[in-house]
Amino acid sequence: MDLRYSEADEKFRGEFRSWLNDAVPAYGDPPPPHDWPARRAYDTGWQRTLYQAGYACIDWPKQYGGRDASPTEQLVYFEEIARARAPYVGINFVGIKHGGPTLIAEGTPEQKARHIPRILKGEEVWCQGFSEPGAGSDLASLQTRAVRDGDHYVVNGHKIWTTYAQVADYCELLVRTDPAAPKHKGISWLILPMNLPGIEIGPLRTLVGEGEFNELFLEDVRVPVEDRVGAENDGWRVTNVTLRFERGTAFAAAIYSQQEFLADIARAARQVTRDDARAWDDTALRKEIGHAQAELDALWAMVKMGVSESSKTGVPGIAGVAVKLLYSELDQRLGDLAMRVLGRAGLSRDDVGGLPSKRFLATALKSISLTIAAGTSQIQRNIIAERILGLPKER
Amino acid sequence: MDFRVTETQQELRNAVHSFCRTRVTVSLLHELATKGGFDRSLWQELAELGVFSLRRPEARGGSGLGMAEAVLVFEELGRCLAPGPLVWSHLAADLVGGAASGAVVVGGLDLAGAAPAPYLVEHRDALGVLLILKPDGVARLDPKRAPVRPVATPLDPLTPLHYAEQLPDGDRIAGADAARRLRLEGATLVAAQLLGVAEATLEVAVSYAKIREQFGRPIGSFQALKHMMADMFARQELARAAVYAAAATLDHPEVGDVERAVATAKLVAAEAAMKNSRACIQLHGGMGYTWEVPAHYYFKRTWVLESLFGTADEQAAILAEKTAAAP
């Protein structure tokens, strides 16, 4: 039960920190969130900067350009990124955290050679084509069809929640290759180049307004068979290999940015004056801020527990399942706190009265998605109840 | 960093766990609930197990272990609802002669917090020494000399109380630094007991939900109840991380802000115990509202523990100031 980082971890921290101290101010401020070409340039440029300094994809194996960073080194990495308020992966998220690791684990030598170095250097952006209008929590019931025609698959279907499709070069696409097989057994994983004929991208207007989500309409799109990753009909297993890369750090960056948000809320509360008192003087509000702080610190300790477990055993502890449930619900409470501090200024999504409405509302509205995306809170609770607590299935 | 329970620590925990499982049974709790809540022979056995001397230096007859080991022991004591002023006697091991061996039962009052009055002394009839913790130091006094009268019906039938209008100053035995340290350690050990309560209530609820049938099925198959228990699990794990982090920070203060880690542990563990013990009663349906089913003991003990070494409200206030001070 020891929270002291090793000397090697602290050495890595020192080097990375001093690099960030110069690199972050030199890189400049991010563009407006909906200027997609500018965001692509900004995020891929930062990725290239990281790559040149040897800090890109540190969790990847050395032979693929990573550092084989241990889970604790990854924690140090997140702590330092947060401390320096440095950019994080941004639109490179799918390539770095999902597509790339999947190719490393399951790709052919040709697939790896074609994509891995380019993802690493920020030359190639990926998006994710998993969910469909009829396949959300029950993802394995997806219906997008891929029919073999010589050395191509002909793909027809409709994907939704395709993050960053508007700037992506490739899509990790799940398709049904055997409609007769049980639903988990008839799925394949394809690399879909986004410039093929028959692909139509429609921005999905969410409750936030504009954003990173899209719909993807696929009509007779011809994907070379050589772009399939893993065996035909083995796509469900291929999808799950990325879990092996998840070493208890999946939500570390998100939890760290919550810390920033909470500190900003507290700062705003000390500025706002209502009825001749600062919002901060409201004991109830202050205690809720303290309460949220406790949960955030406890969550970070929980991440450290999972990371320690995976450092030794290769897999994070079972309790890690609860991290997603807890952090997503906490995020929404932070959103409520932000709204309470803003008061009527929170009715404006542009800054008014010197308050950071724009940023607070963007975070508060986005938080609504967190209990839905990547497994709804209800699905997480079923998993905890059945797999951890051993409670009987409902039917 | 290796933020896990080591094998040696696990062995220690297992030893306390199996002792508690066989010795501090539900029937013992029912029996003690009618007899005033304290069991002298159990106390002696706990002393022999090392509960009080655990962190005392080896040179003075203790085991020389740290807070990391102590929280595991107190987690188990909380889980089985072991009665008595366990935390105070443990804190007094190196301050009051006879505390470590169990010969002298030491209780205490924390007057360093926000709302010390009314003065309610726990387990007064069992005490040899009463410690008084104030911001400027620690004093000891003879509990028999304090003008107290018994509370006829304490909330927790296993935690008898005496009420005092005023208290003598007593003899000063330690200064402000020691008082501060004892309060942080006390809060952490109480948080560990609360974690134990959160675990016990989940365990009891899950076993009941697997066997109790309604509408021809085990009630544990109903999603509404499963989700309650999943939330109990999530709260338990959050509390575990917070409590262990507080212990690790007390053992090695260079890893963080001790006060912040302890406030977090106490707040999060109290919330887990409070919500889990309520949920445990609810999951038992009508039986949960009876005296016979021990679910209410957990709930009542939680209120006792929550009141010690800074309530959740006090901890939240401390933490809010920390958040505001962040750069």
Side-chain angles (χ1 to χ4, degrees):
Chain A
M1 215 186 277
D2 191 345
L3 286 171
R4 289 172 297 175
Y5 283 105
S6 70
E7 260 179 57
D9 288 343
E10 291 297 355
K11 184 165 170 283
F12 171 69
R13 182 196 300 282
E15 289 162 7
F16 188 43
R17 181 179 292 184
S18 81
W19 180 78
L20 283 171
N21 283 345
D22 296 331
V24 173
Y27 193 66
D29 294 328
H34 306 308
D35 184 345
W36 290 104
R39 274 189 67 182
R40 178 176 167 133
Y42 184 83
D43 291 348
T44 53
W46 178 248
Q47 179 66 19
R48 181 153 195 91
T49 309
L50 285 170
Y51 168 75
Q52 283 162 348
Y55 293 121
C57 307
I58 62 161
D59 53 325
W60 286 15
K62 279 201 179 108
Q63 65 177 117
Y64 297 107
R67 293 173 74 108
D68 269 324
S70 68
T72 55
E73 266 180 328
Q74 293 176 49
L75 275 194
V76 169
Y77 189 74
F78 291 127
E79 287 175 354
E80 292 307 313
I81 284 175
R83 185 183 170 279
R85 297 211 174 197
Y88 188 50
V89 290
I91 59 149
N92 301 300
F93 178 81
V94 177
I96 289 172
K97 292 293 172 190
H98 214 270
T102 304
L103 292 183
I104 288 172
E106 296 287 328
T108 63
E110 293 74 25
Q111 289 167 345
K112 288 178 188 174
R114 195 169 60 202
H115 296 286
I116 295 294
R118 292 174 54 82
I119 294 173
L120 188 73
K121 295 176 194 171
E123 292 169 358
E124 191 172 293
V125 173
W126 282 57
C127 64
Q128 186 179 72
F130 283 12
S131 300
E132 296 179 6
S137 289
D138 183 12
L139 179 62
S141 69
L142 60 91
Q143 295 297 326
T144 292
R145 280 284 280 130
V147 179
R148 197 70 179 257
D149 178 23
D151 53 3
H152 282 76
Y153 289 108
V154 180
V155 180
N156 281 281
H158 179 185
K159 293 287 176 179
I160 195 172
W161 306 114
T162 322
T163 318
Y164 302 128
Q166 60 271 71
V167 287
D169 306 303
Y170 293 91
C171 176
E172 44 174 20
L173 189 71
L174 289 185
V175 293
R176 184 154 305 281
T177 34
D178 184 356
K183 62 181 181 179
H184 291 89
K185 309 273 186 188
I187 294 170
S188 298
W189 202 107
L190 302 182
I191 303 170
L192 173 74
M194 292 295 283
N195 59 3
L196 292 182
I199 300 177
E200 198 189 320
I201 301 167
L204 187 66
R205 195 145 195 243
T206 67
L207 60 80
V208 182
E210 282 185 77
E212 66 270 34
F213 294 113
N214 299 274
E215 290 185 88
L216 209 56
F217 302 93
L218 304 162
E219 196 185 339
D220 292 333
V221 181
R222 294 181 69 85
V223 182
V225 170
E226 64 185 37
D227 282 345
R228 190 190 66 231
V229 175
E232 191 169 84
N233 298 325
D234 198 24
W236 189 254
R237 188 192 60 78
V238 173
T239 304
N240 286 305
V241 298
T242 47
L243 298 177
R244 268 193 265 148
F245 279 77
E246 199 276 277
R247 307 281 304 274
T249 59
F251 302 103
I255 293 167
Y256 234 97
S257 68
Q258 289 183 326
Q259 180 60 59
E260 230 170 77
F261 188 34
L262 183 60
D264 289 347
I265 292 169
R267 190 170 300 119
R270 280 174 292 156
Q271 284 164 6
V272 178
T273 309
R274 271 181 218 123
D275 299 332
D276 297 326
R278 293 177 310 164
W280 183 252
D281 298 324
D282 172 357
T283 315
L285 178 79
R286 213 162 59 224
K287 279 177 182 164
E288 275 192 49
I289 288 175
H291 214 108
Q293 184 63 69
E295 287 182 38
L296 260 179
D297 283 2
L299 262 172
W300 192 243
M302 218 168 151
V303 167
K304 286 181 168 171
M305 209 167 251
V307 160
S308 297
E309 187 67 24
S310 75
S311 292
K312 306 292 165 186
T313 63
V315 283
I318 196 154
V321 180
V323 171
K324 200 258 172 184
L325 183 63
L326 289 163
Y327 114 87
S328 58
E329 300 202 336
L330 175 60
D331 211 69
Q332 292 174 2
R333 278 173 37 221
L334 294 184
D336 292 344
L337 268 174
M339 288 298 276
R340 279 170 60 185
V341 170
L342 290 173
R344 294 260 306 163
L347 302 185
S348 165
R349 288 183 63 181
D350 304 307
D351 292 355
V352 286
L355 286 165
S357 283
K358 188 172 184 160
R359 201 158 40 88
F360 278 16
L361 279 163
T363 312
L365 291 173
K366 169 128 192 166
S367 75
I368 296 171
S369 72
L370 298 181
T371 51
I372 302 168
T376 63
S377 292
Q378 288 63 42
I379 293 284
Q380 306 293 338
R381 288 190 176 94
N382 283 348
I383 291 172
I384 292 171
E386 288 170 13
R387 297 194 204 157
I388 300 179
L389 302 178
L391 290 163
K393 286 193 179 291
E394 192 147 28
R395 39 179 186 126
Chain B
M1 177 168 61
D2 190 0
F3 190 40
R4 298 182 306 158
V5 178
T6 65
E7 267 179 46
T8 326
Q9 288 167 347
Q10 188 59 41
E11 281 165 22
L12 173 69
R13 183 224 289 267
N14 290 346
V16 181
H17 182 82
S18 44
F19 172 83
C20 290
R21 184 140 282 199
T22 51
R23 187 66 175 84
V24 194
T25 57
V26 171
S27 58
L28 178 77
L29 294 179
H30 279 316
E31 187 193 326
L32 292 178
T34 59
K35 291 200 317 197
F38 189 80
D39 183 334
R40 195 69 186 75
S41 62
L42 172 64
W43 193 262
Q44 205 51 51
E45 289 166 57
L46 288 169
E48 279 153 27
L49 204 59
V51 167
F52 309 121
S53 58
L54 191 73
R55 289 188 305 127
R56 205 178 186 208
E58 284 177 278
R60 291 198 287 279
S63 308
L65 296 170
M67 284 299 290
E69 286 77 20
V71 290
L72 295 175
V73 169
F74 277 79
E75 182 183 334
E76 292 306 323
L77 297 172
R79 187 199 297 268
C80 72
L81 294 174
L86 297 156
V87 169
W88 284 106
S89 286
H90 174 97
L91 292 175
D94 219 26
L95 280 175
V96 175
S101 69
V104 177
V105 180
V106 181
L109 265 184
D110 167 25
L111 305 186
Y119 303 128
L120 289 171
V121 180
E122 298 167 20
H123 293 283
R124 185 258 193 188
D125 289 345
L127 300 184
V129 169
L130 181 67
L131 292 184
I132 307 289
L133 195 64
K134 289 184 182 170
D136 59 351
V138 186
R140 64 176 279 174
L141 57 97
D142 179 354
K144 306 289 180 290
R145 287 185 48 216
V148 295
R149 53 193 166 80
V151 170
T153 323
L155 168 67
D156 175 10
L158 292 151
T159 308
L161 296 171
H162 281 69
Y163 172 57
E165 300 276 354
Q166 282 180 324
L167 285 170
D169 282 342
D171 304 319
R172 182 181 163 90
I173 57 168
D177 285 350
R180 181 182 164 274
R181 175 85 193 174
L182 286 187
R183 196 157 192 265
L184 290 169
E185 290 174 353
T188 305
L189 296 172
V190 167
Q193 287 178 295
L194 287 161
L195 165 63
V197 170
E199 290 171 317
T201 43
L202 174 58
E203 193 185 334
V204 169
V206 168
S207 351
Y208 184 70
K210 282 177 181 171
I211 54 161
R212 166 73 172 170
E213 290 194 5
Q214 289 288 273
F215 306 101
R217 286 185 281 169
I219 61 169
S221 68
F222 298 123
Q223 213 168 39
L225 302 193
K226 273 181 179 167
H227 287 195
M228 277 176 72
M229 288 180 271
D231 284 333
M232 291 170 83
F233 175 79
R235 286 191 291 263
Q236 163 194 295
E237 292 308 311
L238 192 69
R240 181 191 314 286
V243 169
Y244 293 1
T249 309
L250 278 160
D251 283 342
H252 297 287
E254 69 270 26
V255 302
D257 177 343
V258 170
E259 202 186 16
R260 175 166 163 170
V262 171
T264 294
K266 179 76 202 305
L267 190 158
V268 172
E271 173 146 314
M274 197 69 78
K275 289 190 172 164
N276 283 13
S277 56
R278 272 189 198 280
C280 181
I281 294 173
Q282 179 71 19
L283 274 151
H284 280 80
M287 286 308 289
Y289 193 64
T290 65
W291 190 280
E292 175 197 342
V293 168
H296 67 110
Y297 289 149
Y298 296 107
F299 181 65
K300 292 167 177 172
R301 182 65 61 85
T302 297
W303 278 105
V304 173
L305 296 172
E306 151 64 6
S307 76
L308 299 170
F309 302 108
T311 61
D313 278 346
E314 281 180 75
Q315 310 299 356
I318 291 171
L319 290 165
E321 293 305 327
K322 304 260 181 203
T323 309

PDB file of all heavy atoms in Angstrom, chain A residues 345-362:
ATOM      1  N   ALA A 345     -26.358  33.773 -15.736  1.00  0.00           N
ATOM      2  CA  ALA A 345     -25.349  33.848 -16.801  1.00  0.00           C
ATOM      3  C   ALA A 345     -25.225  32.499 -17.512  1.00  0.00           C
ATOM      4  O   ALA A 345     -24.803  32.433 -18.664  1.00  0.00           O
ATOM      5  CB  ALA A 345     -23.995  34.271 -16.229  1.00  0.00           C
ATOM      6  N   GLY A 346     -25.646  31.438 -16.839  1.00  0.00           N
ATOM      7  CA  GLY A 346     -25.603  30.105 -17.428  1.00  0.00           C
ATOM      8  C   GLY A 346     -26.650  29.896 -18.513  1.00  0.00           C
ATOM      9  O   GLY A 346     -26.649  28.880 -19.197  1.00  0.00           O
ATOM     10  N   LEU A 347     -27.558  30.856 -18.664  1.00  0.00           N
ATOM     11  CA  LEU A 347     -28.536  30.754 -19.748  1.00  0.00           C
ATOM     12  C   LEU A 347     -27.931  31.214 -21.064  1.00  0.00           C
ATOM     13  O   LEU A 347     -28.519  31.026 -22.118  1.00  0.00           O
ATOM     14  CB  LEU A 347     -29.776  31.600 -19.423  1.00  0.00           C
ATOM     15  CG  LEU A 347     -30.466  31.223 -18.111  1.00  0.00           C
ATOM     16  CD1 LEU A 347     -31.735  32.030 -17.925  1.00  0.00           C
ATOM     17  CD2 LEU A 347     -30.786  29.731 -18.083  1.00  0.00           C
ATOM     18  N   SER A 348     -26.751  31.819 -20.984  1.00  0.00           N
ATOM     19  CA  SER A 348     -26.064  32.260 -22.187  1.00  0.00           C
ATOM     20  C   SER A 348     -24.870  31.360 -22.434  1.00  0.00           C
ATOM     21  O   SER A 348     -24.098  31.090 -21.525  1.00  0.00           O
ATOM     22  CB  SER A 348     -25.579  33.703 -22.005  1.00  0.00           C
ATOM     23  OG  SER A 348     -24.622  34.000 -23.008  1.00  0.00           O
ATOM     24  N   ARG A 349     -24.738  30.908 -23.672  1.00  0.00           N
ATOM     25  CA  ARG A 349     -23.580  30.059 -23.974  1.00  0.00           C
ATOM     26  C   ARG A 349     -22.391  30.889 -24.432  1.00  0.00           C
ATOM     27  O   ARG A 349     -21.344  30.348 -24.751  1.00  0.00           O
ATOM     28  CB  ARG A 349     -23.965  28.990 -24.987  1.00  0.00           C
ATOM     29  CG  ARG A 349     -24.879  27.933 -24.327  1.00  0.00           C
ATOM     30  CD  ARG A 349     -25.234  26.823 -25.268  1.00  0.00           C
ATOM     31  NE  ARG A 349     -24.064  26.074 -25.702  1.00  0.00           N
ATOM     32  CZ  ARG A 349     -24.126  25.062 -26.548  1.00  0.00           C
ATOM     33  NH1 ARG A 349     -25.292  24.679 -27.032  1.00  0.00           N
ATOM     34  NH2 ARG A 349     -23.025  24.418 -26.905  1.00  0.00           N
ATOM     35  N   ASP A 350     -22.599  32.194 -24.492  1.00  0.00           N
ATOM     36  CA  ASP A 350     -21.460  33.083 -24.710  1.00  0.00           C
ATOM     37  C   ASP A 350     -21.171  33.773 -23.383  1.00  0.00           C
ATOM     38  O   ASP A 350     -22.069  33.976 -22.584  1.00  0.00           O
ATOM     39  CB  ASP A 350     -21.802  34.122 -25.778  1.00  0.00           C
ATOM     40  CG  ASP A 350     -22.233  33.447 -27.068  1.00  0.00           C
ATOM     41  OD1 ASP A 350     -21.476  32.583 -27.554  1.00  0.00           O
ATOM     42  OD2 ASP A 350     -23.344  33.746 -27.559  1.00  0.00           O
ATOM     43  N   ASP A 351     -19.901  34.110 -23.157  1.00  0.00           N
ATOM     44  CA  ASP A 351     -19.525  34.735 -21.886  1.00  0.00           C
ATOM     45  C   ASP A 351     -20.290  36.052 -21.694  1.00  0.00           C
ATOM     46  O   ASP A 351     -20.318  36.895 -22.588  1.00  0.00           O
ATOM     47  CB  ASP A 351     -18.019  35.017 -21.869  1.00  0.00           C
ATOM     48  CG  ASP A 351     -17.217  33.721 -21.821  1.00  0.00           C
ATOM     49  OD1 ASP A 351     -17.847  32.645 -21.704  1.00  0.00           O
ATOM     50  OD2 ASP A 351     -15.982  33.780 -21.894  1.00  0.00           O
ATOM     51  N   VAL A 352     -20.928  36.169 -20.545  1.00  0.00           N
ATOM     52  CA  VAL A 352     -21.557  37.441 -20.191  1.00  0.00           C
ATOM     53  C   VAL A 352     -21.173  37.777 -18.749  1.00  0.00           C
ATOM     54  O   VAL A 352     -20.933  36.882 -17.940  1.00  0.00           O
ATOM     55  CB  VAL A 352     -23.111  37.398 -20.307  1.00  0.00           C
ATOM     56  CG1 VAL A 352     -23.552  37.419 -21.758  1.00  0.00           C
ATOM     57  CG2 VAL A 352     -23.693  36.197 -19.582  1.00  0.00           C
ATOM     58  N   GLY A 353     -21.146  39.046 -18.460  1.00  0.00           N
ATOM     59  CA  GLY A 353     -20.873  39.491 -17.094  1.00  0.00           C
ATOM     60  C   GLY A 353     -19.537  39.016 -16.554  1.00  0.00           C
ATOM     61  O   GLY A 353     -19.386  38.812 -15.354  1.00  0.00           O
ATOM     62  N   GLY A 354     -18.590  38.800 -17.444  1.00  0.00           N
ATOM     63  CA  GLY A 354     -17.255  38.422 -16.991  1.00  0.00           C
ATOM     64  C   GLY A 354     -17.152  36.990 -16.487  1.00  0.00           C
ATOM     65  O   GLY A 354     -16.177  36.623 -15.836  1.00  0.00           O
ATOM     66  N   LEU A 355     -18.170  36.176 -16.769  1.00  0.00           N
ATOM     67  CA  LEU A 355     -18.142  34.778 -16.304  1.00  0.00           C
ATOM     68  C   LEU A 355     -17.859  33.827 -17.461  1.00  0.00           C
ATOM     69  O   LEU A 355     -18.255  34.085 -18.593  1.00  0.00           O
ATOM     70  CB  LEU A 355     -19.490  34.427 -15.669  1.00  0.00           C
ATOM     71  CG  LEU A 355     -19.705  35.053 -14.290  1.00  0.00           C
ATOM     72  CD1 LEU A 355     -21.158  34.973 -13.887  1.00  0.00           C
ATOM     73  CD2 LEU A 355     -18.825  34.356 -13.265  1.00  0.00           C
ATOM     74  N   PRO A 356     -17.187  32.702 -17.158  1.00  0.00           N
ATOM     75  CA  PRO A 356     -16.782  31.792 -18.249  1.00  0.00           C
ATOM     76  C   PRO A 356     -17.903  30.864 -18.710  1.00  0.00           C
ATOM     77  O   PRO A 356     -17.758  29.638 -18.720  1.00  0.00           O
ATOM     78  CB  PRO A 356     -15.630  31.006 -17.613  1.00  0.00           C
ATOM     79  CG  PRO A 356     -15.945  30.991 -16.162  1.00  0.00           C
ATOM     80  CD  PRO A 356     -16.691  32.256 -15.851  1.00  0.00           C
ATOM     81  N   SER A 357     -19.048  31.438 -19.091  1.00  0.00           N
ATOM     82  CA  SER A 357     -20.202  30.635 -19.517  1.00  0.00           C
ATOM     83  C   SER A 357     -19.860  29.669 -20.635  1.00  0.00           C
ATOM     84  O   SER A 357     -20.266  28.511 -20.624  1.00  0.00           O
ATOM     85  CB  SER A 357     -21.307  31.548 -20.054  1.00  0.00           C
ATOM     86  OG  SER A 357     -21.978  32.163 -19.008  1.00  0.00           O
ATOM     87  N   LYS A 358     -19.123  30.168 -21.594  1.00  0.00           N
ATOM     88  CA  LYS A 358     -18.874  29.389 -22.797  1.00  0.00           C
ATOM     89  C   LYS A 358     -18.194  28.065 -22.445  1.00  0.00           C
ATOM     90  O   LYS A 358     -18.655  26.986 -22.818  1.00  0.00           O
ATOM     91  CB  LYS A 358     -18.001  30.209 -23.736  1.00  0.00           C
ATOM     92  CG  LYS A 358     -17.832  29.589 -25.088  1.00  0.00           C
ATOM     93  CD  LYS A 358     -17.116  30.548 -26.027  1.00  0.00           C
ATOM     94  CE  LYS A 358     -17.057  29.919 -27.410  1.00  0.00           C
ATOM     95  NZ  LYS A 358     -16.835  30.881 -28.459  1.00  0.00           N
ATOM     96  N   ARG A 359     -17.118  28.171 -21.690  1.00  0.00           N
ATOM     97  CA  ARG A 359     -16.345  26.980 -21.348  1.00  0.00           C
ATOM     98  C   ARG A 359     -17.123  26.081 -20.385  1.00  0.00           C
ATOM     99  O   ARG A 359     -17.185  24.865 -20.545  1.00  0.00           O
ATOM    100  CB  ARG A 359     -15.023  27.432 -20.712  1.00  0.00           C
ATOM    101  CG  ARG A 359     -13.913  26.435 -20.728  1.00  0.00           C
ATOM    102  CD  ARG A 359     -12.559  27.143 -20.588  1.00  0.00           C
ATOM    103  NE  ARG A 359     -12.601  28.238 -19.628  1.00  0.00           N
ATOM    104  CZ  ARG A 359     -12.386  28.090 -18.320  1.00  0.00           C
ATOM    105  NH1 ARG A 359     -12.118  26.904 -17.824  1.00  0.00           N
ATOM    106  NH2 ARG A 359     -12.428  29.129 -17.506  1.00  0.00           N
ATOM    107  N   PHE A 360     -17.745  26.695 -19.369  1.00  0.00           N
ATOM    108  CA  PHE A 360     -18.479  25.901 -18.377  1.00  0.00           C
ATOM    109  C   PHE A 360     -19.625  25.132 -19.032  1.00  0.00           C
ATOM    110  O   PHE A 360     -19.851  23.957 -18.758  1.00  0.00           O
ATOM    111  CB  PHE A 360     -19.044  26.813 -17.274  1.00  0.00           C
ATOM    112  CG  PHE A 360     -18.037  27.161 -16.205  1.00  0.00           C
ATOM    113  CD1 PHE A 360     -16.680  26.974 -16.412  1.00  0.00           C
ATOM    114  CD2 PHE A 360     -18.459  27.678 -14.983  1.00  0.00           C
ATOM    115  CE1 PHE A 360     -15.753  27.296 -15.420  1.00  0.00           C
ATOM    116  CE2 PHE A 360     -17.538  27.996 -13.989  1.00  0.00           C
ATOM    117  CZ  PHE A 360     -16.190  27.813 -14.205  1.00  0.00           C
ATOM    118  N   LEU A 361     -20.366  25.818 -19.905  1.00  0.00           N
ATOM    119  CA  LEU A 361     -21.522  25.156 -20.517  1.00  0.00           C
ATOM    120  C   LEU A 361     -21.096  24.081 -21.504  1.00  0.00           C
ATOM    121  O   LEU A 361     -21.744  23.040 -21.615  1.00  0.00           O
ATOM    122  CB  LEU A 361     -22.426  26.182 -21.187  1.00  0.00           C
ATOM    123  CG  LEU A 361     -23.340  26.877 -20.186  1.00  0.00           C
ATOM    124  CD1 LEU A 361     -23.923  28.152 -20.759  1.00  0.00           C
ATOM    125  CD2 LEU A 361     -24.453  25.936 -19.764  1.00  0.00           C
ATOM    126  N   ALA A 362     -19.998  24.336 -22.203  1.00  0.00           N
ATOM    127  CA  ALA A 362     -19.511  23.311 -23.128  1.00  0.00           C
ATOM    128  C   ALA A 362     -19.211  22.028 -22.346  1.00  0.00           C
ATOM    129  O   ALA A 362     -19.598  20.923 -22.750  1.00  0.00           O
ATOM    130  CB  ALA A 362     -18.261  23.806 -23.848  1.00  0.00           C
TER     131      ALA A 362
END
